[in-house]
Amino acid sequence: MRFLVWLAALLALLPVCAGAQTAEPSLTLQIGDRRIAIARSALLAHPAAQDVEIAADPSYKRAMRYRAVPLAALLQGFAIPPDATLEGKATDGFVAQIPLKPALGQGGARALVAVEAAAAPWPNLPGKSLSAGPFYLVWLDEKAQGIGPEQWPYQLASLSIVQPPERRWPQIAVRQNAKQPPTPARRGQDVFVKHCFACHRMNGGGEAAVGPDLNLPMNPTEYFQPQALRRYLRDPASVRTWPEQKMPPISRDQINDAELEQLIAYLHQMARQKATR
């Protein structure tokens, strides 16, 4: 009942907010053909808002405390297909693909939208001149379902319920007989979607705008020697550096050695499945 009262108040404010000359940030929710923008003040006033402690925030590299709303509470009342994916878009072109069950708190991990209050701004991110706000998708008990750092999008602009990536962009999928056990390349596709697709496109598929497409015009396996590619993925700056370099090192806690080999197998396979522009 408290949620319905909050939602009614929010909807009553929408026409006013749409015409008002205000700089208050808002978070967009897109579920099917329903699209709503929720202002920061409305999120802070949400009945499910709570204070949460993040012991090891992957973006700030330390413990942080936030005022946050469980994502499941924000999506309450929406019809959500069971095979859908949550897509989180950030203002810098980062686009995270997140499995729906953990996003909804089904299975152990819990996703929340942290909200930066105007009167209590968060500190700047390490090495940056801006904070993670005004909206940041954070997690509790994330290890229960293998949530990685790429699934903590900060400077969040929108959250959408969408089809799984391989259905939206068939050109990213490994071609193999569905009746056969997954090949290393097929397993590598999952590694790519979880860890790389947030910054890179593949064969023209995807929406990320941080790094280059990893198959067009050339695939990294076409210009890196094998050991140089492995070294580059683990520590990009040890292979080449430039002023605007953004790719961070990939630790074994994020992608273990077996997963790294699966990712490389996927890249090799996609070099053989190159799309034409």
Side-chain angles (χ1 to χ4, degrees):
M1 180 62 70
R2 292 174 65 201
F3 169 77
L4 295 178
V5 171
W6 173 85
L7 183 59
L10 168 64
L11 294 175
L13 284 172
L14 285 179
V16 176
C17 292
Q21 297 299 317
T22 176
E24 183 178 20
S26 62
L27 177 69
T28 298
L29 294 182
Q30 177 81 51
I31 299 93
D33 58 358
R34 297 183 63 184
R35 181 183 178 92
I36 61 172
I38 309 178
R40 172 166 57 188
S41 56
L43 283 169
L44 290 170
H46 194 287
Q50 58 191 263
D51 293 325
V52 296
E53 296 278 354
I54 306 296
D57 188 298
S59 300
Y60 278 104
K61 313 298 183 186
R62 63 180 178 88
M64 290 291 292
R65 182 179 178 87
Y66 299 107
R67 187 70 176 169
V69 182
L71 181 61
L74 290 179
L75 298 180
Q76 182 182 342
F78 289 99
I80 300 176
D83 62 343
T85 292
L86 177 72
E87 181 178 81
K89 290 186 179 181
T91 57
D92 64 355
F94 186 92
V95 185
Q97 305 292 324
I98 303 166
L100 190 61
K101 285 188 177 181
L104 296 179
Q106 300 170 2
R110 291 178 289 156
L112 306 96
V113 175
V115 186
E116 180 183 35
W122 301 336
N124 288 345
L125 291 161
K128 297 182 181 291
S129 59
L130 42 81
S131 76
F135 310 110
Y136 176 24
L137 191 70
V138 302
W139 294 83
L140 296 175
D141 304 316
E142 69 278 6
K143 292 183 179 179
Q145 288 173 283
I147 299 300
E150 296 80 7
Q151 294 166 320
W152 294 64
Y154 56 78
Q155 293 189 328
L156 193 62
S158 67
L159 290 168
S160 304
I161 301 297
V162 295
Q163 289 185 330
E166 65 271 16
R167 293 227 303 266
R168 296 174 72 192
W169 301 290
Q171 67 267 44
I172 77 169
V174 168
R175 298 172 190 154
Q176 78 162 75
N177 190 325
K179 296 181 180 180
Q180 293 178 338
T183 62
R186 177 60 187 83
R187 295 185 188 279
Q189 177 184 317
D190 294 335
V191 177
F192 173 82
V193 168
K194 178 179 179 180
H195 295 282
C196 311
F197 206 38
C199 293
H200 299 277
R201 301 188 185 201
M202 171 58 69
N203 256 350
E207 296 190 11
V210 177
D213 190 301
L214 291 186
N215 212 34
L216 299 177
M218 291 184 71
N219 185 297
T221 62
E222 296 177 296
Y223 54 85
F224 271 117
Q225 295 179 357
Q227 289 309 311
L229 176 57
R230 288 174 176 83
R231 180 173 173 177
Y232 180 75
L233 292 171
R234 286 294 184 211
D235 185 8
S238 72
V239 176
R240 61 186 183 191
T241 62
W242 62 96
E244 297 302 319
Q245 185 174 34
K246 296 180 180 180
M247 183 172 170
I250 300 175
S251 71
R252 286 176 173 80
D253 290 335
Q254 294 172 256
I255 299 179
N256 61 36
D257 287 340
E259 291 169 330
L260 187 72
E261 293 307 311
Q262 292 166 357
L263 175 60
I264 292 172
Y266 172 69
L267 292 174
H268 276 291
Q269 179 65 33
M270 297 315 292
R272 297 190 287 270
Q273 291 183 204
K274 199 177 293 287
T276 56
R277 282 180 164 169

PDB file of all heavy atoms in Angstrom, residues 5 10 25 34 38 53 57-58 62 65 71 95 100-101 109 111 120 136 139 152 162 189 208-209 211 222 239 254 273:
ATOM      1  N   VAL A   5       0.831   4.388  -2.740  1.00  0.00           N
ATOM      2  CA  VAL A   5       0.686   5.801  -2.378  1.00  0.00           C
ATOM      3  C   VAL A   5       1.854   6.602  -2.970  1.00  0.00           C
ATOM      4  O   VAL A   5       1.665   7.681  -3.535  1.00  0.00           O
ATOM      5  CB  VAL A   5       0.636   5.950  -0.844  1.00  0.00           C
ATOM      6  CG1 VAL A   5       0.713   7.420  -0.453  1.00  0.00           C
ATOM      7  CG2 VAL A   5      -0.634   5.324  -0.288  1.00  0.00           C
ATOM      8  N   LEU A  10       4.025  10.178  -7.235  1.00  0.00           N
ATOM      9  CA  LEU A  10       5.000  10.376  -8.306  1.00  0.00           C
ATOM     10  C   LEU A  10       4.308  10.719  -9.609  1.00  0.00           C
ATOM     11  O   LEU A  10       4.669  11.675 -10.299  1.00  0.00           O
ATOM     12  CB  LEU A  10       5.846   9.118  -8.475  1.00  0.00           C
ATOM     13  CG  LEU A  10       6.721   9.055  -9.727  1.00  0.00           C
ATOM     14  CD1 LEU A  10       7.776  10.154  -9.680  1.00  0.00           C
ATOM     15  CD2 LEU A  10       7.379   7.695  -9.860  1.00  0.00           C
ATOM     16  N   PRO A  25      18.151  15.920 -11.322  1.00  0.00           N
ATOM     17  CA  PRO A  25      18.360  14.722 -12.144  1.00  0.00           C
ATOM     18  C   PRO A  25      17.258  13.698 -11.935  1.00  0.00           C
ATOM     19  O   PRO A  25      16.599  13.663 -10.889  1.00  0.00           O
ATOM     20  CB  PRO A  25      19.708  14.200 -11.643  1.00  0.00           C
ATOM     21  CG  PRO A  25      19.815  14.717 -10.249  1.00  0.00           C
ATOM     22  CD  PRO A  25      19.140  16.048 -10.245  1.00  0.00           C
ATOM     23  N   ARG A  34       6.313   1.078 -21.481  1.00  0.00           N
ATOM     24  CA  ARG A  34       6.152   2.011 -20.365  1.00  0.00           C
ATOM     25  C   ARG A  34       7.492   2.654 -20.045  1.00  0.00           C
ATOM     26  O   ARG A  34       8.502   1.975 -19.836  1.00  0.00           O
ATOM     27  CB  ARG A  34       5.602   1.302 -19.129  1.00  0.00           C
ATOM     28  CG  ARG A  34       4.213   0.722 -19.319  1.00  0.00           C
ATOM     29  CD  ARG A  34       3.696   0.111 -18.033  1.00  0.00           C
ATOM     30  NE  ARG A  34       3.541   1.098 -16.976  1.00  0.00           N
ATOM     31  CZ  ARG A  34       3.168   0.796 -15.726  1.00  0.00           C
ATOM     32  NH1 ARG A  34       2.950  -0.472 -15.401  1.00  0.00           N
ATOM     33  NH2 ARG A  34       3.029   1.740 -14.813  1.00  0.00           N
ATOM     34  N   ILE A  38      11.988   9.111 -12.936  1.00  0.00           N
ATOM     35  CA  ILE A  38      11.783   9.301 -11.510  1.00  0.00           C
ATOM     36  C   ILE A  38      12.826  10.289 -10.988  1.00  0.00           C
ATOM     37  O   ILE A  38      14.034  10.049 -11.097  1.00  0.00           O
ATOM     38  CB  ILE A  38      11.899   7.967 -10.741  1.00  0.00           C
ATOM     39  CG1 ILE A  38      11.003   6.907 -11.381  1.00  0.00           C
ATOM     40  CG2 ILE A  38      11.518   8.167  -9.286  1.00  0.00           C
ATOM     41  CD1 ILE A  38      11.109   5.549 -10.709  1.00  0.00           C
ATOM     42  N   GLU A  53      25.278  -0.375   3.745  1.00  0.00           N
ATOM     43  CA  GLU A  53      26.725  -0.345   3.868  1.00  0.00           C
ATOM     44  C   GLU A  53      27.324  -1.292   2.830  1.00  0.00           C
ATOM     45  O   GLU A  53      26.950  -2.462   2.767  1.00  0.00           O
ATOM     46  CB  GLU A  53      27.150  -0.795   5.270  1.00  0.00           C
ATOM     47  CG  GLU A  53      26.693   0.123   6.391  1.00  0.00           C
ATOM     48  CD  GLU A  53      27.594   1.328   6.578  1.00  0.00           C
ATOM     49  OE1 GLU A  53      28.643   1.380   5.888  1.00  0.00           O
ATOM     50  OE2 GLU A  53      27.254   2.199   7.403  1.00  0.00           O
ATOM     51  N   ASP A  57      33.295  -1.421  -2.003  1.00  0.00           N
ATOM     52  CA  ASP A  57      32.708  -0.858  -3.214  1.00  0.00           C
ATOM     53  C   ASP A  57      33.730  -0.947  -4.352  1.00  0.00           C
ATOM     54  O   ASP A  57      34.843  -0.417  -4.231  1.00  0.00           O
ATOM     55  CB  ASP A  57      32.319   0.600  -2.963  1.00  0.00           C
ATOM     56  CG  ASP A  57      31.540   1.212  -4.100  1.00  0.00           C
ATOM     57  OD1 ASP A  57      32.097   1.303  -5.210  1.00  0.00           O
ATOM     58  OD2 ASP A  57      30.382   1.611  -3.875  1.00  0.00           O
ATOM     59  N   PRO A  58      33.392  -1.629  -5.476  1.00  0.00           N
ATOM     60  CA  PRO A  58      34.385  -1.801  -6.544  1.00  0.00           C
ATOM     61  C   PRO A  58      34.731  -0.521  -7.291  1.00  0.00           C
ATOM     62  O   PRO A  58      35.775  -0.456  -7.947  1.00  0.00           O
ATOM     63  CB  PRO A  58      33.719  -2.817  -7.476  1.00  0.00           C
ATOM     64  CG  PRO A  58      32.257  -2.650  -7.238  1.00  0.00           C
ATOM     65  CD  PRO A  58      32.123  -2.298  -5.791  1.00  0.00           C
ATOM     66  N   ARG A  62      36.738   1.093  -1.585  1.00  0.00           N
ATOM     67  CA  ARG A  62      36.709   1.182  -0.121  1.00  0.00           C
ATOM     68  C   ARG A  62      35.264   1.017   0.341  1.00  0.00           C
ATOM     69  O   ARG A  62      34.349   0.883  -0.475  1.00  0.00           O
ATOM     70  CB  ARG A  62      37.262   2.529   0.353  1.00  0.00           C
ATOM     71  CG  ARG A  62      36.478   3.769  -0.096  1.00  0.00           C
ATOM     72  CD  ARG A  62      37.159   5.014   0.455  1.00  0.00           C
ATOM     73  NE  ARG A  62      36.539   6.267   0.064  1.00  0.00           N
ATOM     74  CZ  ARG A  62      35.549   6.862   0.713  1.00  0.00           C
ATOM     75  NH1 ARG A  62      35.022   6.291   1.791  1.00  0.00           N
ATOM     76  NH2 ARG A  62      35.058   8.025   0.293  1.00  0.00           N
ATOM     77  N   ARG A  65      28.775   4.124   2.241  1.00  0.00           N
ATOM     78  CA  ARG A  65      27.423   4.086   2.803  1.00  0.00           C
ATOM     79  C   ARG A  65      26.510   4.893   1.881  1.00  0.00           C
ATOM     80  O   ARG A  65      26.875   5.999   1.456  1.00  0.00           O
ATOM     81  CB  ARG A  65      27.400   4.676   4.212  1.00  0.00           C
ATOM     82  CG  ARG A  65      26.028   4.643   4.902  1.00  0.00           C
ATOM     83  CD  ARG A  65      26.147   5.232   6.310  1.00  0.00           C
ATOM     84  NE  ARG A  65      24.848   5.273   6.991  1.00  0.00           N
ATOM     85  CZ  ARG A  65      24.341   4.265   7.690  1.00  0.00           C
ATOM     86  NH1 ARG A  65      25.036   3.138   7.814  1.00  0.00           N
ATOM     87  NH2 ARG A  65      23.162   4.370   8.283  1.00  0.00           N
ATOM     88  N   LEU A  71      15.978  -2.405  -6.161  1.00  0.00           N
ATOM     89  CA  LEU A  71      15.475  -2.406  -7.529  1.00  0.00           C
ATOM     90  C   LEU A  71      14.150  -3.142  -7.632  1.00  0.00           C
ATOM     91  O   LEU A  71      13.260  -2.734  -8.382  1.00  0.00           O
ATOM     92  CB  LEU A  71      16.509  -3.036  -8.460  1.00  0.00           C
ATOM     93  CG  LEU A  71      16.141  -3.078  -9.939  1.00  0.00           C
ATOM     94  CD1 LEU A  71      15.933  -1.672 -10.490  1.00  0.00           C
ATOM     95  CD2 LEU A  71      17.206  -3.800 -10.736  1.00  0.00           C
ATOM     96  N   VAL A  95      27.346   0.433 -20.837  1.00  0.00           N
ATOM     97  CA  VAL A  95      26.030  -0.215 -20.895  1.00  0.00           C
ATOM     98  C   VAL A  95      26.156  -1.621 -20.323  1.00  0.00           C
ATOM     99  O   VAL A  95      26.658  -2.534 -20.991  1.00  0.00           O
ATOM    100  CB  VAL A  95      25.481  -0.276 -22.334  1.00  0.00           C
ATOM    101  CG1 VAL A  95      24.062  -0.847 -22.329  1.00  0.00           C
ATOM    102  CG2 VAL A  95      25.478   1.112 -22.978  1.00  0.00           C
ATOM    103  N   LEU A 100      18.414 -11.090 -14.952  1.00  0.00           N
ATOM    104  CA  LEU A 100      17.246 -10.549 -14.272  1.00  0.00           C
ATOM    105  C   LEU A 100      17.077 -11.081 -12.850  1.00  0.00           C
ATOM    106  O   LEU A 100      16.722 -10.323 -11.946  1.00  0.00           O
ATOM    107  CB  LEU A 100      15.986 -10.854 -15.097  1.00  0.00           C
ATOM    108  CG  LEU A 100      14.710 -10.142 -14.646  1.00  0.00           C
ATOM    109  CD1 LEU A 100      14.875  -8.633 -14.730  1.00  0.00           C
ATOM    110  CD2 LEU A 100      13.533 -10.577 -15.506  1.00  0.00           C
ATOM    111  N   LYS A 101      17.325 -12.371 -12.636  1.00  0.00           N
ATOM    112  CA  LYS A 101      17.053 -12.946 -11.313  1.00  0.00           C
ATOM    113  C   LYS A 101      17.831 -12.266 -10.201  1.00  0.00           C
ATOM    114  O   LYS A 101      17.251 -11.856  -9.185  1.00  0.00           O
ATOM    115  CB  LYS A 101      17.293 -14.450 -11.328  1.00  0.00           C
ATOM    116  CG  LYS A 101      16.189 -15.235 -12.046  1.00  0.00           C
ATOM    117  CD  LYS A 101      16.375 -16.734 -11.875  1.00  0.00           C
ATOM    118  CE  LYS A 101      15.217 -17.495 -12.525  1.00  0.00           C
ATOM    119  NZ  LYS A 101      15.365 -18.959 -12.353  1.00  0.00           N
ATOM    120  N   ALA A 109      21.799 -12.467  -4.224  1.00  0.00           N
ATOM    121  CA  ALA A 109      22.264 -11.096  -4.426  1.00  0.00           C
ATOM    122  C   ALA A 109      21.076 -10.139  -4.487  1.00  0.00           C
ATOM    123  O   ALA A 109      19.977 -10.519  -4.888  1.00  0.00           O
ATOM    124  CB  ALA A 109      23.081 -11.004  -5.711  1.00  0.00           C
ATOM    125  N   ALA A 111      20.080  -6.107  -5.771  1.00  0.00           N
ATOM    126  CA  ALA A 111      20.456  -4.866  -6.437  1.00  0.00           C
ATOM    127  C   ALA A 111      19.667  -3.703  -5.862  1.00  0.00           C
ATOM    128  O   ALA A 111      18.465  -3.832  -5.598  1.00  0.00           O
ATOM    129  CB  ALA A 111      20.202  -4.975  -7.938  1.00  0.00           C
ATOM    130  N   ALA A 120      24.210  16.189   0.296  1.00  0.00           N
ATOM    131  CA  ALA A 120      25.272  15.326   0.820  1.00  0.00           C
ATOM    132  C   ALA A 120      25.959  14.610  -0.331  1.00  0.00           C
ATOM    133  O   ALA A 120      25.805  13.403  -0.505  1.00  0.00           O
ATOM    134  CB  ALA A 120      24.694  14.329   1.822  1.00  0.00           C
ATOM    135  N   TYR A 136      23.448   5.164  -8.897  1.00  0.00           N
ATOM    136  CA  TYR A 136      24.499   4.159  -8.959  1.00  0.00           C
ATOM    137  C   TYR A 136      23.866   2.821  -8.577  1.00  0.00           C
ATOM    138  O   TYR A 136      23.221   2.714  -7.524  1.00  0.00           O
ATOM    139  CB  TYR A 136      25.593   4.571  -7.974  1.00  0.00           C
ATOM    140  CG  TYR A 136      26.767   3.647  -7.775  1.00  0.00           C
ATOM    141  CD1 TYR A 136      27.181   2.721  -8.724  1.00  0.00           C
ATOM    142  CD2 TYR A 136      27.508   3.740  -6.596  1.00  0.00           C
ATOM    143  CE1 TYR A 136      28.285   1.916  -8.509  1.00  0.00           C
ATOM    144  CE2 TYR A 136      28.623   2.945  -6.372  1.00  0.00           C
ATOM    145  CZ  TYR A 136      28.999   2.023  -7.332  1.00  0.00           C
ATOM    146  OH  TYR A 136      30.090   1.231  -7.110  1.00  0.00           O
ATOM    147  N   TRP A 139      25.169  -3.367  -5.009  1.00  0.00           N
ATOM    148  CA  TRP A 139      24.738  -4.732  -4.689  1.00  0.00           C
ATOM    149  C   TRP A 139      25.058  -5.086  -3.245  1.00  0.00           C
ATOM    150  O   TRP A 139      26.073  -4.666  -2.695  1.00  0.00           O
ATOM    151  CB  TRP A 139      25.454  -5.734  -5.606  1.00  0.00           C
ATOM    152  CG  TRP A 139      25.073  -5.605  -7.050  1.00  0.00           C
ATOM    153  CD1 TRP A 139      25.591  -4.726  -7.965  1.00  0.00           C
ATOM    154  CD2 TRP A 139      24.094  -6.368  -7.749  1.00  0.00           C
ATOM    155  NE1 TRP A 139      24.995  -4.902  -9.181  1.00  0.00           N
ATOM    156  CE2 TRP A 139      24.076  -5.905  -9.084  1.00  0.00           C
ATOM    157  CE3 TRP A 139      23.244  -7.414  -7.378  1.00  0.00           C
ATOM    158  CZ2 TRP A 139      23.228  -6.450 -10.044  1.00  0.00           C
ATOM    159  CZ3 TRP A 139      22.405  -7.962  -8.329  1.00  0.00           C
ATOM    160  CH2 TRP A 139      22.389  -7.476  -9.648  1.00  0.00           C
ATOM    161  N   TRP A 152      28.074  -2.976 -11.836  1.00  0.00           N
ATOM    162  CA  TRP A 152      27.844  -1.876 -10.883  1.00  0.00           C
ATOM    163  C   TRP A 152      27.887  -0.550 -11.666  1.00  0.00           C
ATOM    164  O   TRP A 152      28.766   0.282 -11.440  1.00  0.00           O
ATOM    165  CB  TRP A 152      28.931  -1.851  -9.807  1.00  0.00           C
ATOM    166  CG  TRP A 152      28.991  -2.999  -8.861  1.00  0.00           C
ATOM    167  CD1 TRP A 152      29.255  -4.297  -9.147  1.00  0.00           C
ATOM    168  CD2 TRP A 152      28.833  -2.934  -7.434  1.00  0.00           C
ATOM    169  NE1 TRP A 152      29.276  -5.046  -8.001  1.00  0.00           N
ATOM    170  CE2 TRP A 152      29.023  -4.238  -6.926  1.00  0.00           C
ATOM    171  CE3 TRP A 152      28.563  -1.897  -6.530  1.00  0.00           C
ATOM    172  CZ2 TRP A 152      28.935  -4.541  -5.573  1.00  0.00           C
ATOM    173  CZ3 TRP A 152      28.489  -2.191  -5.176  1.00  0.00           C
ATOM    174  CH2 TRP A 152      28.666  -3.494  -4.707  1.00  0.00           C
ATOM    175  N   VAL A 162      14.988  -5.685 -21.177  1.00  0.00           N
ATOM    176  CA  VAL A 162      15.172  -5.930 -22.606  1.00  0.00           C
ATOM    177  C   VAL A 162      15.355  -7.424 -22.862  1.00  0.00           C
ATOM    178  O   VAL A 162      15.500  -8.224 -21.935  1.00  0.00           O
ATOM    179  CB  VAL A 162      16.409  -5.161 -23.142  1.00  0.00           C
ATOM    180  CG1 VAL A 162      16.191  -3.655 -23.038  1.00  0.00           C
ATOM    181  CG2 VAL A 162      17.666  -5.564 -22.377  1.00  0.00           C
ATOM    182  N   GLN A 189      31.550 -16.513 -24.982  1.00  0.00           N
ATOM    183  CA  GLN A 189      30.527 -15.507 -25.307  1.00  0.00           C
ATOM    184  C   GLN A 189      29.897 -14.966 -24.023  1.00  0.00           C
ATOM    185  O   GLN A 189      29.671 -13.762 -23.884  1.00  0.00           O
ATOM    186  CB  GLN A 189      29.460 -16.127 -26.205  1.00  0.00           C
ATOM    187  CG  GLN A 189      28.303 -15.188 -26.542  1.00  0.00           C
ATOM    188  CD  GLN A 189      27.223 -15.901 -27.355  1.00  0.00           C
ATOM    189  OE1 GLN A 189      27.522 -16.649 -28.284  1.00  0.00           O
ATOM    190  NE2 GLN A 189      25.977 -15.677 -26.995  1.00  0.00           N
ATOM    191  N   ALA A 208      27.167  -0.086 -26.305  1.00  0.00           N
ATOM    192  CA  ALA A 208      28.238   0.572 -25.555  1.00  0.00           C
ATOM    193  C   ALA A 208      29.011   1.541 -26.456  1.00  0.00           C
ATOM    194  O   ALA A 208      29.143   1.337 -27.657  1.00  0.00           O
ATOM    195  CB  ALA A 208      29.188  -0.473 -24.984  1.00  0.00           C
ATOM    196  N   ALA A 209      29.528   2.589 -25.828  1.00  0.00           N
ATOM    197  CA  ALA A 209      30.266   3.604 -26.589  1.00  0.00           C
ATOM    198  C   ALA A 209      31.496   4.069 -25.825  1.00  0.00           C
ATOM    199  O   ALA A 209      31.866   5.236 -25.872  1.00  0.00           O
ATOM    200  CB  ALA A 209      29.350   4.786 -26.898  1.00  0.00           C
ATOM    201  N   GLY A 211      34.614   1.800 -25.573  1.00  0.00           N
ATOM    202  CA  GLY A 211      35.754   1.286 -26.319  1.00  0.00           C
ATOM    203  C   GLY A 211      35.360   0.903 -27.731  1.00  0.00           C
ATOM    204  O   GLY A 211      34.194   1.012 -28.120  1.00  0.00           O
ATOM    205  N   GLU A 222      43.670 -10.772 -34.553  1.00  0.00           N
ATOM    206  CA  GLU A 222      44.262 -10.571 -35.876  1.00  0.00           C
ATOM    207  C   GLU A 222      45.488  -9.662 -35.827  1.00  0.00           C
ATOM    208  O   GLU A 222      46.235  -9.600 -36.802  1.00  0.00           O
ATOM    209  CB  GLU A 222      43.218  -9.993 -36.829  1.00  0.00           C
ATOM    210  CG  GLU A 222      42.042 -10.931 -37.087  1.00  0.00           C
ATOM    211  CD  GLU A 222      40.980 -10.303 -37.973  1.00  0.00           C
ATOM    212  OE1 GLU A 222      40.365  -9.297 -37.551  1.00  0.00           O
ATOM    213  OE2 GLU A 222      40.753 -10.823 -39.089  1.00  0.00           O
ATOM    214  N   VAL A 239      51.382  -3.217 -22.078  1.00  0.00           N
ATOM    215  CA  VAL A 239      51.582  -3.478 -23.508  1.00  0.00           C
ATOM    216  C   VAL A 239      51.627  -2.179 -24.295  1.00  0.00           C
ATOM    217  O   VAL A 239      52.484  -1.986 -25.152  1.00  0.00           O
ATOM    218  CB  VAL A 239      50.483  -4.412 -24.052  1.00  0.00           C
ATOM    219  CG1 VAL A 239      50.621  -4.620 -25.563  1.00  0.00           C
ATOM    220  CG2 VAL A 239      50.541  -5.759 -23.332  1.00  0.00           C
ATOM    221  N   GLN A 254      38.272 -11.399 -11.199  1.00  0.00           N
ATOM    222  CA  GLN A 254      37.196 -11.069 -12.133  1.00  0.00           C
ATOM    223  C   GLN A 254      37.023 -12.162 -13.181  1.00  0.00           C
ATOM    224  O   GLN A 254      35.915 -12.649 -13.406  1.00  0.00           O
ATOM    225  CB  GLN A 254      37.490  -9.733 -12.830  1.00  0.00           C
ATOM    226  CG  GLN A 254      37.476  -8.528 -11.925  1.00  0.00           C
ATOM    227  CD  GLN A 254      37.958  -7.300 -12.656  1.00  0.00           C
ATOM    228  OE1 GLN A 254      39.073  -6.839 -12.479  1.00  0.00           O
ATOM    229  NE2 GLN A 254      37.116  -6.750 -13.504  1.00  0.00           N
ATOM    230  N   GLN A 273      33.592 -15.186 -37.968  1.00  0.00           N
ATOM    231  CA  GLN A 273      32.186 -14.860 -38.200  1.00  0.00           C
ATOM    232  C   GLN A 273      32.024 -13.363 -38.415  1.00  0.00           C
ATOM    233  O   GLN A 273      31.032 -12.763 -37.989  1.00  0.00           O
ATOM    234  CB  GLN A 273      31.328 -15.285 -36.999  1.00  0.00           C
ATOM    235  CG  GLN A 273      31.185 -16.763 -36.800  1.00  0.00           C
ATOM    236  CD  GLN A 273      30.269 -17.104 -35.633  1.00  0.00           C
ATOM    237  OE1 GLN A 273      30.355 -18.182 -35.045  1.00  0.00           O
ATOM    238  NE2 GLN A 273      29.358 -16.211 -35.271  1.00  0.00           N
TER     239      GLN A 273
END
